[in-house]
Amino acid sequence: MKVEKLLHMAGGAGDSSYAANSKIQEKAILKITPILDKAVSEVHKTLLPEKMVVADLGCSSGLNTFLVLTQVMKIIAKQCRLLELQPPEMQFFLNDLPGNDFNNIFQSLDYFEESVKTEKGAICVPHFVAGLPGSFYKRLFPSQSVHFFHSSYSLMWISQVPEGLESKGEYVSPNKGNIYIGKTSPPLVVKLYQDQFNIDFSLFLKLRFKELVPSGQMVLAFLGRKKKNIYNGELSSLWGLVSESLHSMVLEGIVEEEKLDSFNLPFYAPSMEEAKAVINAQGLFDIIHMQIFESNWDPYDDSDDDFVIDNVQSGANFAMCIRSVLEPIIASHFGASIVDELFTRFAMNVARHLVKEKTKLPVLILCLKKKQ
């Protein structure tokens, strides 16, 4: 699987697009607002740059893309008023893989500019916005040129499916029947995924260290794991339901078994301890803040209850969210013709699961500061 070419969210603005089904991701961005406020304020107050460069890594498309930009400009505008300073010129870079719907972003720029103008207490910060296609597992910027990085719901995507998982010829994948770490996955599969995450996250930190100015900071939010037992991890449960849906289609002859056995997600949900261990091993960043918050699967369920009121509706809502994330990669591997049926089955599997357990999505939040 060529991840850089195939991994992207569903484009456009239709019913099944990412732009129309990214409320879960929006919640994460709003949750980190106080952390974002503190980090951006500190970088600006410490450096007082005339020009400030901010990059959003894994920006995707839709209104969430501009939510972070608006928040950053509000923070800078407020601080400049308090300090009686002229605001710096802001250069925003919106980064994602080449398959991302950058056209949707560019077409939404006018809406963004109008929203900034009509914002209460107008945000008078000169700013420029540019798209930047490319993998964040490669260098994206010149040395010491970026003041602040933000990334939300992106770093759980690893650079490749771990080597040794794909079935080839007579070689049968050790993860047969699973698309991620499942209950039947042998320890080898767990190790392959963990090793790939460690390699990729280490590389990410090294690259951003080179690109950040002294005292630059990053706020990162990505899906992780709270449960110690990796086989019983929250994301293992989620992807297990997708596996079950595909397997049922194999049994009915709709999907070829070989296709399922050769499909593994380029994804890993680490524990906070795993992420922290990589950061400490690299020794490039100080950890300013770290926390975990949980989000309900159903993006329209804001309750703290341990039960779901309407499991069928919640299953349908969550299925639309996951479809907007997985549809391009599923269609590329299995063919577009199975997509509707797959997510209809997935919605029913989620509904049944939510009767037994109201599983949540753990989101790891990290604020890192470049060491001197």
Side-chain angles (χ1 to χ4, degrees), residues 18 22-23 27 29 63 79 108 126 137 159 170 196 280 289 322 325 337 352:
Y18 180 82
S22 50
K23 189 173 177 60
K27 288 181 179 181
I29 294 171
L63 295 182
Q79 181 149 288
S108 303
Y137 294 121
S159 67
E170 295 183 1
Q196 189 63 53
N280 290 337
H289 179 89
I322 298 303
V325 172
S337 61
R352 283 192 287 269

Side-chain angles (χ1 to χ4, degrees), residues 42 77 118 123 128 144 150 221-222 247 255 261 268 342 370:
E42 184 178 322
T118 56
I123 309 171
F128 307 88
Q144 298 190 17
H150 165 267
F222 51 98
H247 185 64
V255 170
D261 292 342
Y268 183 70
L342 170 62
K370 180 177 179 176

Side-chain angles (χ1 to χ4, degrees), residues 57-68:
L57 305 178
C59 65
S60 195
S61 61
L63 295 182
N64 284 354
T65 303
F66 299 105
L67 190 54
V68 173

Side-chain angles (χ1 to χ4, degrees), residues 171-358:
Y171 174 76
V172 179
S173 169
N175 207 29
K176 181 178 170 64
N178 298 299
I179 66 171
Y180 180 59
I181 298 168
K183 289 185 171 68
T184 60
S185 300
L188 170 63
V189 171
V190 175
K191 186 177 186 306
L192 289 173
Y193 268 109
Q194 288 175 328
D195 288 350
Q196 189 63 53
F197 171 77
N198 290 339
I199 290 169
D200 286 341
F201 193 40
S202 296
L203 177 60
F204 176 88
L205 295 173
K206 290 175 184 176
L207 297 174
R208 304 296 83 82
F209 179 83
K210 291 179 181 178
E211 295 166 347
L212 277 170
V213 301
S215 299
Q217 295 194 33
M218 302 194 290
V219 171
L220 313 173
F222 51 98
L223 290 175
R225 189 178 78 252
K226 280 189 72 175
K227 295 182 178 179
K228 289 186 177 180
N229 183 353
I230 196 167
Y231 289 100
N232 197 34
E234 297 84 353
L235 275 299
S236 291
S237 297
L238 162 57
W239 300 133
L241 295 174
V242 178
S243 293
E244 287 178 22
S245 306
L246 285 165
H247 185 64
S248 70
M249 297 174 77
V250 169
L251 294 177
E252 295 177 27
I254 301 170
V255 170
E256 296 177 18
E257 186 174 11
E258 293 77 11
K259 284 282 190 182
L260 175 56
D261 292 342
S262 63
F263 183 73
N264 290 278
L265 288 172
F267 181 101
Y268 183 70
S271 65
M272 183 63 87
E273 289 72 24
E274 286 176 296
K276 186 179 176 182
V278 175
I279 295 166
N280 290 337
Q282 291 304 311
L284 301 174
F285 291 89
D286 290 318
I287 300 175
I288 304 301
H289 179 89
M290 62 180 187
Q291 75 177 80
I292 301 176
F293 87 92
E294 293 181 295
S295 180
N296 292 325
W297 279 10
D298 183 349
Y300 300 100
D301 179 1
D302 295 322
S303 72
D304 294 323
D305 300 330
D306 292 328
F307 59 89
V308 174
I309 295 174
D310 186 342
N311 65 307
V312 174
Q313 186 60 57
S314 288
N317 292 342
F318 189 53
M320 288 297 288
C321 295
I322 298 303
R323 175 172 179 164
S324 73
V325 172
L326 285 190
E327 181 169 353
I329 205 170
I330 289 284
S332 173
H333 187 83
F334 295 97
S337 61
I338 77 155
V339 171
D340 288 343
E341 179 63 22
L342 170 62
F343 288 101
T344 296
R345 294 178 186 228
F346 175 66
M348 291 188 289
N349 284 341
V350 171
R352 283 192 287 269
H353 173 85
L354 290 175
V355 171
K356 296 180 289 183
E357 178 186 356
K358 187 178 180 180

